[in-house]
């Protein structure tokens, strides 16, 4: 119970600090701190579980971010209207194959991550993790939308 209060206080303090519009790397770290607090609270991780879980999760999250960011950069250039209208069938087929390969790579990464977690957390907490990630992303997106409406 004490841990939950401390996490909520930390979460509140970090969220207050986010109003200052820091550089992108700081924003990423602030979001990560909020995510850590949110997931820890939602999963009710014990100290022992948290010590084993977070290194595995952070490694997975970093690799996933890197793959998605890399893929976005590759596709952004090729997906504008002008590039699409000039794309040949052969180029489109190659791009589609690359997209499938990237999706498969992300799937394999998540599958390996879940396998690694099975030795650290009970299955119910692994399922709760997926829900917590989805809930966190939904709340983050909603907060972003609300902030955009106020401007």
């Amino acid at each position: 119970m004490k841990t939950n209060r401390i996490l909520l206080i930390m979460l509140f303090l970090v969220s207050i600090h986010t109003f200052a519009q820091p550089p992108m790397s700081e924003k990423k770290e602030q979001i990560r701190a909020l995510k850590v607090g949110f997931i820890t609270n939602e999963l009710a991780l014990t100290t022992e579980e948290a010590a084993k879980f977070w290194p595995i999760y952070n490694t997975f999250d970093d690799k996933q971010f890197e793959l998605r960011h890399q893929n976005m950069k590759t596709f952004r250039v090729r997906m504008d209207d002008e590039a699409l209208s000039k794309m040949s069938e052969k180029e489109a087929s190659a791009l589609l194959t690359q997209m499938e390969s990237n999706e498969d790579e992300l799937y394999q990464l998540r599958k390996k991550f879940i396998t690694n977690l099975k030795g650290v957390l009970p299955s119910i907490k692994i399922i709760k993790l997926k829900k917590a990630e989805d809930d966190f992303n939904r709340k983050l997106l909603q907060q972003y939308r609300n902030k955009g409406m106020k401007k």
Side-chain angles (χ1 to χ4, degrees):
M1 190 67 168
K2 232 180 191 181
T3 309
N4 287 346
R5 285 184 184 165
I6 292 170
L7 284 173
L8 288 174
I9 291 169
M10 284 177 38
L11 194 64
F12 176 73
L13 292 174
V14 171
S15 66
I16 288 175
H17 189 267
T18 59
F19 291 111
Q21 294 297 327
M24 192 59 124
S25 62
E26 282 186 38
K27 282 184 181 181
K28 184 180 174 194
E29 288 305 312
Q30 288 175 345
I31 290 170
R32 180 174 257 185
L34 290 170
K35 189 175 187 179
V36 166
F38 187 84
I39 289 173
T40 300
N41 192 41
E42 291 295 306
L43 297 184
L45 294 174
T46 66
T47 307
E48 185 179 306
E49 287 173 335
K52 292 177 184 176
F53 168 77
W54 286 111
I56 295 169
Y57 185 84
N58 289 334
T59 300
F60 162 76
D61 197 43
D62 289 342
K63 286 180 183 177
Q64 179 178 251
F65 176 82
E66 185 180 310
L67 279 172
R68 286 186 171 157
H69 184 72
Q70 195 175 46
N71 295 341
M72 254 193 319
K73 280 176 39 178
T74 301
F75 298 131
R76 191 178 310 134
V77 173
R78 300 171 91 183
M79 297 299 261
D80 69 359
D81 289 335
E82 187 177 332
L84 283 173
S85 65
K86 294 179 181 178
M87 190 178 287
S88 70
E89 185 62 29
K90 186 177 179 181
E91 291 171 325
S93 180
L95 181 59
L96 189 57
T97 300
Q98 186 180 5
M99 291 168 69
E100 290 170 340
S101 174
N102 291 337
E103 288 298 318
D104 187 50
E105 201 172 347
L106 281 166
Y107 171 75
Q108 293 302 326
L109 179 66
R110 186 136 200 55
K111 193 173 174 182
K112 182 180 176 188
F113 169 64
I114 291 171
T115 300
N116 291 339
L117 282 183
K118 286 181 180 177
V120 174
L121 296 177
S123 296
I124 189 70
K125 285 191 178 183
I126 296 171
I127 293 168
K128 285 181 179 181
L129 170 64
K130 176 64 176 148
K131 182 181 181 322
E133 287 176 317
D134 291 346
D135 290 349
F136 179 81
N137 290 335
R138 201 173 300 111
K139 286 181 180 187
L140 191 65
L141 183 59
Q142 187 62 44
Q143 187 177 10
Y144 177 75
R145 284 180 181 157
N146 289 344
K147 193 173 184 180
M149 290 177 177
K150 290 179 183 177
K151 287 184 178 180

